[in-house]
Amino acid sequence: MTTRQSTHPVAAQFLDRSSPRAFSGKKLTAQDIETIVEGARWAPSASNKQPWHFAYSINGDANWQAFSTIPNEFNRRWCLNAGALLVVLSDKQSATHSFDTGCAWGYLALQAHAMGLATHAMAGIELDAARQVLQLDDNWKVECLVAIGERGDKSSLPADLAEREVPSPRKPLSEILSAGPLA
Ligand SMILES: Cc1cc2nc3c(=O)[nH]c(=O)nc-3n(C[C@H](O)[C@H](O)[C@H](O)COP(=O)(O)O)c2cc1C
């Protein structure tokens, strides 16, 4: 249950989804990841090009150590307790690759939420490490890394991060919406 309040009635998933840093450490299964990415798979994209790819490692599997080099120092403090790490890639050969892949990430986050799991996207990553671990050619843009898993207790976090473990607010609608041109 959320403490967030919307100014207009929206589906509960939009208020209830949030990005924790406390994860329980419970490993996800390949089936969990496949179901979560199935959500992303049904996102709309320009000309239905689906210019995205998702590469994952489950906590402790053969690729985990390599994936652990992808988050930056700040994110490494908390995200290695996630059940899995997943890298979101977009294919630059499509003009709308980032827009489309952003939508797919949103679907992924909501699918995970519907399964009782949490996601936390990270732009704070070591880009060279990501490109090397995933052996990417120049067509792929690394969009972000996502921690996925069961929520943990915020007391498991360092004090400065535990303090920040609260649902975030949003700008008022009036600031992001205009009938006609921007004021
Ligand atoms: C593309 C993207 C990059 C982000 N990068 C980071 C990050 O590097 N580290 C971090 O702790 N949170 C990161 N976040 C989480 C945002 O800070 C968070 O989504 C935002 O404050 C809204 O909070 P909520 O997701 O709980 O609603 C990122 C989120 C997105 C969508």
Side-chain angles (χ1 to χ4, degrees):
M1 251 336 198
T2 187
T3 54
R4 288 166 159 174
Q5 300 275 330
S6 61
T7 46
H8 295 271
V10 293
Q13 62 175 351
F14 298 116
L15 302 175
D16 291 344
R17 183 218 57 82
S18 66
S19 308
R21 293 195 179 88
F23 286 92
S24 74
K26 186 180 172 195
K27 296 178 201 312
L28 295 187
T29 64
Q31 177 76 20
D32 291 329
I33 301 287
E34 285 169 17
T35 308
I36 289 166
V37 173
E38 182 78 34
R41 183 175 166 232
W42 291 100
S45 59
S47 304
N48 199 18
K49 280 189 182 153
Q50 305 158 64
W52 45 65
H53 188 93
F54 307 91
Y56 75 95
S57 169
I58 288 171
N59 195 335
D61 75 9
N63 294 309
W64 184 252
Q65 215 169 352
F67 271 60
S68 301
T69 66
I70 299 176
N72 69 10
E73 207 180 323
F74 170 77
N75 288 321
R76 213 171 292 151
R77 292 179 67 209
W78 58 268
C79 79
L80 299 183
N81 224 21
L85 288 174
L86 175 141
V87 183
V88 180
L89 304 168
S90 70
D91 183 346
K92 294 192 282 185
Q93 294 168 106
S94 163
T96 55
H97 61 100
S98 281
F99 185 83
D100 293 340
T101 303
C103 179
W105 135 252
Y107 275 35
L108 181 157
L110 290 174
Q111 176 57 35
H113 174 69
M115 294 161 66
L117 294 168
T119 54
H120 195 137
M122 290 165 270
I125 56 181
E126 305 292 347
L127 268 181
D128 291 345
R131 301 202 75 88
Q132 198 198 348
V133 168
L134 302 177
Q135 295 167 36
L136 300 177
D137 67 36
D138 286 348
N139 287 333
W140 292 109
K141 178 180 179 194
V142 179
E143 295 287 354
C144 68
L145 176 68
V146 184
I148 311 175
E150 187 181 78
R151 281 172 189 268
D153 196 303
K154 73 174 179 181
S155 63
S156 66
L157 290 170
D160 59 321
L161 296 183
E163 223 171 79
R164 293 164 65 173
E165 202 76 341
V166 287
S168 57
R170 289 297 185 267
K171 293 174 183 174
L173 203 55
S174 57
E175 215 178 296
I176 62 162
L177 176 69
S178 50
L182 279 67

